Amino acid sequence: MNPILEIQQLTHTYSAGTPFQRTAVEGVDLSVMPGECVGIIGHTGSGKSTLIQHFNGLLKPTSGRVLVDGRDIWAKGGDIRSVRFRVGLVFQYPEYQLFEETVAQDIAFGPKNMGLAADEVARRVRDAAAVVGLDESLLSQSPFALSGGQKRRAAIAGVMAMEPDVLVLDEPSAGLDPRGRQEMMAMLGRYRQQRRATVILVSHSMEEIAANVDRVIVMNQAKVFMDGAPREVFSRVAELEAVGLDVPQSARIAALLRDRGIPVGDDVYTVDALARRLLALKGGGVC
Amino acid sequence: MIQCKDVTFTYPAQEGREAQAALEGVNLTIEKGSFVAVLGHNGSGKSTLAKHMNAVLLPSGGTVTVDGMDTRDEALLLEIRRRVGMVFQNPDNQIVANVVEEDVAFAPENLGVPTAEIRRRVDDALRAVGMADFARHAPHLLSGGQKQRVAIAGIIAMAPEVIVLDEATAMLDPVGRREVLATIHKLHREQGITVVLITHHMDEALEADRVVVMDGGAIAMDGAPREIFTQVERLHSLGLAAPDTAELLHLLRSAGAQMPPDAMTAAECADAIANWLGK
Amino acid sequence: MLKDITLGQFFPGDTFLHRLDPRIKLVCVVLYIVALFNAASPLTYGVMFLALAVAVTLSRVPLRALTRGLKAVYIIVLFTAVMNLFFTPGTALGATWLGRHITAEGVRAAVAMVLRIVMLITGTFLLTYTTSPISLTDALESLLRPLKKLRFPVHELAMMMSIALRFIPTLIEETDKIISAQKARGADFESGSLLRRARALVPILVPLFISAFRRADELATAMECRCYHGGQGRTALHVLRCRAVDWAVLALCALLPAAVITMKILGL
């Protein structure tokens, strides 16, 4: 299988040539396979927001290449807008981008920009609303009459309705309560399953990343600091904490247990897995 | 310090939205010098309750008093707001001035504090939140956590007795949250300021003296963190999660393990497990 | 990116110019402008240039920052220059354009006009570069105070100005973000007819306005929570006080229009 998204030696410098010059992303190599679910973590200012805005061509690399389906998106003769339909990007607090008179019209904005026929647009609006769990009766309402959580869903549906094969989300559950976070993750799971899509999730919550992705990329100071399966990344508790990142609480407990000579293994990072492992240990089972 | 008696509140009907009851008979007393965390899912009424504590909202029924002063008494409004300072969620929307120290000076200026005294209060407040080096900076260039600390300094400069933080950490990254929490705990410890922390991050409530859980506009649970967080199933039913330590112990206990329920920190939890495994 | 706009940005510093009373600075700039518009001969322009050069040197604002500020208005400068070149009646020189000749008087007028605009802009920018917006509004409030007797809402105006200044960078950042978000949904701002482009702004302007209103609402609550109740009984962290040196600078600046006008009368 070929990667759906490939980043080669990407560097991005803001305000180059001025005293405010700042390199936000430096020499990043990355390739994402179709259907993968990738989590990106890192501090504010670690370069992750800059990085993801290269995925759909909102930012142009200072140097390096971005390839979607093996093609350089900045190659001559390419259409950068078509890349944005293939790689959907949901910004942080996306509810602030709503502008139309009705929820349905707002969700239709992306598909309409794609130049689709009216009935196809309507189908996509319905489908996207269903994926995010917005009741059909809400579609004819003004987006500004919705509750905060519903607004967020409508905004995400607006990107999903373009039916991108890669869906990139910057902190989709920021500011939500635990139940809202769970629903958000369920929503993304539904989209991923239905479209067999690649999902790239930026999050500050280690617990959320640990429970939902099959690969974690850790950004630190403009570079990729770690890249691997959650169990590999979260077993390196000391290194993560050294760069000021949290680890999932369960990974920390597991590390403390290992310090106390309990062989829990270094591949547990969720509460459920840790509990199972411990019960197996107590029962004298091997693991 | 703050007393809510049978407080009810209904948001008036608005275009396209019916009138909505947000508080339904809340009785709550915040003791002087305490650190109270108020938890609850979105829409549980926790923010509405917070806004009653300094008369941003007035109860539809019942009474709220601050040091015995009724919040409905217009003549006492300034004094109530001086005593109970409030920090809001969005750091950008509560900073008034273009320069950090000018912003911190805003409240004392409003209160008519003499210039020399304002200077002293501003310097003290900025030192207390660890932002003294940024006094002459432009606020929009600060990080989220730094902005919230400036907002806290702006409250401290009123010499308040209570600080209410209305989801003040919700928009911050983990580093910013840690900064703000450390600042609040320091103020509570060193200056004896009463803290009411509204949040939906369970781990922030761990270090409080007391946890109040709101649901459906009423108080659902009220007690010490250890009492609250050991009732894992009850929390789940209220749409909340317990900290991972409590969740883990809960899973082990429901599988029949003999465990102390209240090992809240990671270290305590690891010790309890090691103990149970006989190591 | 919108962020790069530096129109009227403050350069923190602690120079002689930074420390001057903002009210004095404001009045001086007005005096300078009066003088500038009375300058006619090369000699008077020389005097004005000298005054400006001294101020720029004192401010220690990098020249690059000043020229960057000029970039924002170069079209206006260019336009007035061209208009003057071709549309001033007088002795024709070689080049023609649309049947009009460049005239010798035109060249002179164009040079004078460009000099005037550049010096005008540099002078006023120097004020905003060396005076924080907040002291500028303080100064304005203080200078306008006499109008209070006429029930003119001086405090409210100053407060509005300072809040507007505070939120300009925030709203610019927000605009950038909304533009990116709509672009990610395939919005096209770069092609099509003028009407199409104007319509393409709706997805930016609506969210921007809504957000601005929400911010205003939250800010109002936050201000009330910090005991804001209008200008009555308000004190200030920084009280403006004119020192001897401020008065001296004012006197010097007052000499400028006096000198220029005198020179004009004397035909120098």
Side-chain angles (χ1 to χ4, degrees):
Chain A
M1 212 165 19
N2 293 318
I4 190 162
L5 176 70
E6 219 177 334
I7 305 292
Q8 295 173 346
Q9 279 300 306
L10 177 75
T11 295
H12 191 93
T13 307
Y14 285 110
S15 315
T18 73
F20 306 105
Q21 175 168 331
R22 190 171 64 84
T23 298
V25 172
E26 198 180 346
V28 167
D29 283 301
L30 197 68
S31 65
V32 179
M33 290 297 171
E36 248 189 314
C37 186
V38 183
I40 302 182
I41 56 182
H43 287 302
T44 309
S46 61
K48 51 190 184 359
S49 290
T50 305
L51 176 65
I52 62 169
Q53 289 188 62
H54 283 87
F55 293 173
N56 70 343
L58 276 178
L59 291 178
K60 198 173 178 175
T62 307
S63 68
R65 300 205 301 164
V66 179
L67 292 89
V68 173
D69 298 320
R71 272 193 304 274
D72 187 337
I73 63 170
W74 292 104
K76 279 210 179 77
D79 176 13
I80 204 70
R81 274 176 74 214
S82 68
V83 173
R84 297 189 183 142
F85 303 134
R86 192 108 168 81
V87 182
L89 177 58
V90 178
F91 278 85
Q92 208 176 359
Y93 299 104
E95 53 272 31
Y96 299 145
Q97 76 197 28
L98 299 170
F99 71 99
E100 276 284 12
E101 278 170 49
T102 69
V103 175
Q105 279 174 308
D106 206 286
I107 299 176
F109 181 66
K112 272 193 190 149
N113 285 331
M114 298 170 79
L116 298 171
D119 51 345
E120 173 66 6
V121 171
R123 178 195 66 77
R124 289 183 172 213
V125 170
R126 272 196 315 277
D127 285 1
V131 170
V132 301
L134 273 185
D135 196 80
E136 211 146 319
S137 65
L138 295 174
L139 290 181
S140 56
Q141 285 195 18
S142 159
F144 307 111
L146 302 182
S147 75
Q150 287 168 336
K151 275 186 199 160
R152 170 113 19 127
R153 286 159 191 250
I156 293 177
V159 175
M160 284 179 174
M162 304 192 301
E163 304 195 337
D165 291 311
V166 183
L167 183 62
V168 188
L169 304 102
D170 192 358
E171 291 267 345
S173 46
L176 299 181
D177 60 15
R179 190 180 283 163
R181 285 172 172 266
Q182 261 174 23
E183 285 168 2
M184 178 63 61
M185 290 305 128
M187 233 165 81
L188 299 182
R190 274 199 297 277
Y191 182 79
R192 200 178 155 217
Q193 207 172 26
Q194 280 180 15
R195 309 251 4 121
R196 291 193 197 82
T198 309
V199 171
I200 301 176
L201 177 66
V202 175
S203 178
H204 282 309
S205 161
M206 299 298 151
E207 278 75 16
E208 190 167 281
I209 291 285
N212 293 289
V213 305
D214 31 58
R215 175 173 161 202
V216 182
I217 292 164
V218 184
M219 294 284 294
N220 188 45
Q221 293 181 346
K223 295 191 171 122
V224 171
F225 180 61
M226 290 184 200
D227 182 353
R231 59 182 175 79
E232 293 162 26
V233 169
F234 290 131
S235 65
R236 295 157 75 178
V237 176
E239 281 169 81
L240 286 170
E241 286 183 339
V243 297
L245 285 168
D246 279 329
V247 291
Q249 186 80 325
S250 342
R252 183 171 296 136
I253 298 168
L256 288 169
L257 287 170
R258 285 197 295 276
D259 292 346
R260 286 165 174 71
I262 297 164
V264 282
D266 56 9
D267 57 345
V268 283
Y269 50 88
T270 63
V271 173
D272 290 345
L274 181 56
R276 275 199 304 278
R277 185 65 55 85
L278 288 169
L279 289 167
L281 275 176
K282 180 68 173 180
V286 277
C287 41
Chain B
M1 182 75 228
I2 300 178
Q3 209 164 17
C4 304
K5 257 193 207 147
D6 301 319
V7 174
T8 60
F9 182 78
T10 306
Y11 282 103
Q14 262 183 350
E15 206 187 334
R17 216 182 285 175
E18 289 162 34
Q20 223 175 356
L23 294 179
E24 297 183 358
V26 173
N27 284 294
L28 181 68
T29 304
I30 307 283
E31 305 292 343
K32 202 175 171 67
S34 61
F35 192 121
V36 182
V38 180
L39 300 175
H41 61 81
N42 290 347
S44 60
K46 59 185 193 303
S47 266
T48 309
L49 178 63
K51 292 190 175 72
H52 276 80
M53 293 182 177
N54 70 342
V56 172
L57 295 176
L58 299 176
S60 318
T63 54
V64 178
T65 54
V66 173
D67 277 339
M69 297 181 289
D70 193 319
T71 58
R72 283 171 306 186
D73 189 341
E74 193 107 7
L76 298 171
L77 192 63
L78 280 188
E79 185 53 24
I80 288 170
R81 290 197 170 149
R82 188 196 65 74
R83 286 195 204 193
V84 184
M86 178 139 0
V87 183
F88 294 91
Q89 185 176 31
N90 191 328
D92 279 319
N93 299 353
Q94 50 190 320
I95 293 180
V96 186
N98 251 310
V99 181
V100 166
E101 64 173 13
E102 296 277 359
D103 187 74
V104 177
F106 183 69
E109 286 176 345
N110 291 333
L111 291 165
V113 174
T115 298
E117 167 75 6
I118 297 181
R119 181 79 257 169
R120 194 186 58 72
R121 285 197 192 187
V122 168
D123 293 346
D124 287 352
L126 282 173
R127 219 172 296 126
V129 301
M131 290 293 290
D133 292 343
F134 294 86
R136 304 284 307 149
H137 280 235
H140 72 272
L141 298 175
L142 303 177
S143 75
Q146 289 173 330
K147 285 181 201 166
Q148 285 301 56
R149 278 150 65 199
V150 170
I152 294 171
I155 299 299
I156 296 294
M158 296 197 293
E161 284 164 35
V162 186
I163 295 186
V164 180
L165 295 108
D166 187 5
E167 300 201 45
T169 58
M171 291 181 78
L172 303 181
D173 63 4
V175 177
R177 270 176 55 200
R178 272 201 291 270
E179 284 172 25
V180 168
L181 285 170
T183 305
I184 283 296
H185 279 286
K186 180 168 165 255
L187 290 171
H188 175 242
R189 217 171 36 238
E190 290 174 4
Q191 306 195 8
I193 288 178
T194 310
V195 177
V196 180
L197 178 71
I198 318 280
T199 179
H200 49 236
H201 285 286
M202 302 305 127
D203 44 337
E204 292 178 7
L206 271 177
E207 286 175 68
D209 305 335
R210 177 178 168 199
V211 176
V212 173
V213 182
M214 300 277 300
D215 185 56
I219 291 175
M221 299 165 88
D222 184 353
R226 276 160 207 268
E227 289 162 42
I228 302 291
F229 290 129
T230 48
Q231 302 176 48
V232 176
E233 272 160 18
R234 176 104 171 91
L235 285 170
H236 287 180
S237 74
L238 295 172
L240 298 172
D244 273 4
T245 48
E247 297 271 355
L248 178 64
L249 295 178
H250 173 71
L251 282 175
L252 293 175
R253 264 204 323 281
S254 30
Q258 294 290 314
M259 278 283 171
D262 60 349
M264 284 296 150
T265 67
E268 286 172 3
C269 183
D271 283 338
I273 293 168
N275 212 3
W276 165 65
L277 287 171
K279 292 258 174 181
Chain C
M1 284 257 248
L2 290 168
K3 268 180 230 165
D4 298 336
I5 297 176
T6 56
L7 202 84
Q9 188 100 251
F10 173 52
F11 273 74
D14 195 28
T15 67
F16 177 73
L17 229 55
H18 282 85
R19 282 191 307 264
L20 270 186
D21 187 297
R23 290 170 297 185
I24 298 292
K25 272 191 273 189
L26 205 63
V27 174
C28 284
V29 168
V30 172
L31 290 170
Y32 167 80
I33 292 172
V34 169
L36 195 57
F37 276 88
N38 278 294
S41 63
L43 186 62
T44 42
Y45 271 106
V47 170
M48 293 307 298
F49 185 80
L50 201 70
L52 182 64
V54 169
V56 169
T57 316
L58 282 175
S59 75
R60 298 220 193 111
V61 171
L63 270 180
R64 218 174 21 179
L66 286 170
T67 49
R68 203 172 48 223
L70 283 174
K71 257 191 215 159
V73 290
Y74 81 96
I75 293 190
I76 304 176
V77 175
L78 217 65
F79 182 73
T80 24
V82 170
M83 291 308 270
N84 272 300
L85 267 183
F86 289 98
F87 290 88
T88 313
T91 334
L93 294 176
T96 55
W97 178 61
L98 291 177
R100 302 210 62 109
H101 300 280
I102 291 185
T103 60
E105 285 78 4
V107 173
R108 208 171 303 139
V111 170
M113 208 58 203
V114 168
L115 271 178
R116 195 174 277 181
I117 297 179
V118 167
M119 281 163 77
L120 173 74
I121 302 236
T122 313
T124 40
F125 270 34
L126 205 56
L127 174 71
T128 58
Y129 278 151
T130 60
T131 319
S132 74
I134 206 146
S135 25
L136 214 51
T137 43
D138 281 354
L140 215 57
E141 185 175 1
S142 164
L143 288 172
L144 292 178
R145 199 165 289 153
L147 290 179
K148 232 178 194 166
K149 295 213 171 67
L150 304 170
R151 302 204 153 198
F152 188 77
V154 177
H155 165 77
E156 286 75 5
L157 201 73
M159 181 56 87
M160 263 158 47
M161 268 180 61
S162 92
I163 288 173
L165 285 167
R166 149 76 186 85
F167 276 89
I168 285 171
T170 309
L171 289 176
I172 286 179
E173 207 172 292
E174 178 131 9
T175 312
D176 263 340
K177 217 186 107 181
I178 295 171
I179 291 177
S180 296
Q182 306 299 27
K183 269 189 182 167
R185 296 208 280 167
D188 184 2
F189 305 116
E190 276 116 35
S191 62
S193 64
L194 206 61
L195 184 72
R196 256 188 76 126
R197 283 197 214 187
R199 286 224 333 243
L201 289 179
V202 172
I204 298 171
L205 293 179
V206 172
L208 192 62
F209 276 119
I210 287 176
S211 149
F213 281 120
R214 184 177 42 83
R215 285 183 192 280
D217 196 40
E218 287 181 19
L219 184 70
T221 309
M223 284 169 71
E224 280 179 14
C225 285
R226 288 164 74 185
C227 302
Y228 181 68
H229 54 112
Q232 224 171 20
R234 255 188 129 232
T235 48
L237 171 63
H238 294 294
V239 178
L240 297 176
R241 206 171 290 123
C242 278
R243 300 155 299 161
V245 60
D246 292 308
W247 291 117
V249 168
L250 181 65
L252 272 175
C253 284
L255 279 179
L256 206 56
V260 169
I261 292 170
T262 315
M263 284 162 85
K264 194 178 178 183
I265 294 169
L266 295 176
L268 281 170

